[in-house]
Amino acid sequence: MILYGSSLSPYVRKVLGYAAEKGIELDVQPTGFPNPSPEYLEASPFRKMPALRDGDYTLADSSAIIQYLEAKHPEPALIPADPRLRGKTIWYEEFADTILVSCGAKIESR
């Protein structure tokens, strides 16, 4: 599987860390910035990273990629099956992706 993006991105690092915990090997390839590669654009039409290519299947967005990897490689389970625990896990992930990242950006820009 190919993961398009840069390890400088916290979203790419999130997917890489998750894949490492699952024992999934990902081939990280650059997006081709500032002139994105056609392969990357096919996988991420909105030009957001990361994007994943698994054969002829493509998917963009770190949260979507993690859910895909969990479904494709269910063992070891990193996302709980219990509905309440699963909901909290996804909530914490979304919190980190939106609230926490935006707070970090404000601190960094000062």
Side-chain angles (χ1 to χ4, degrees), residues 4 31-37 40-51 60-61:
Y4 297 102
T31 63
F33 179 81
N35 300 308
S37 69
Y40 167 65
L41 291 177
E42 179 187 4
S44 184
F46 297 117
R47 300 178 179 209
K48 299 289 186 184
M49 50 177 176
D61 184 78

Side-chain angles (χ1 to χ4, degrees), residues 89-108:
T89 299
I90 293 169
W91 183 88
Y92 280 116
E93 179 188 5
E94 185 60 25
F95 172 81
D97 280 0
T98 55
I99 307 294
L100 196 58
V101 166
S102 65
C103 290
K106 287 181 182 181
I107 292 170
E108 185 177 84

Side-chain angles (χ1 to χ4, degrees), residues 18-78:
Y18 181 85
E21 287 294 319
K22 294 284 263 183
I24 301 168
E25 194 170 318
L26 297 175
D27 175 19
V28 180
Q29 292 188 8
T31 63
F33 179 81
N35 300 308
S37 69
E39 295 82 11
Y40 167 65
L41 291 177
E42 179 187 4
S44 184
F46 297 117
R47 300 178 179 209
K48 299 289 186 184
M49 50 177 176
L52 179 82
R53 177 177 302 280
D54 186 10
D56 64 349
Y57 180 74
T58 60
L59 184 63
D61 184 78
S62 60
S63 297
I65 292 168
I66 284 176
Q67 291 294 326
Y68 172 75
L69 294 175
E70 181 73 16
K72 184 167 182 176
H73 302 275
E75 296 299 327
L78 297 183

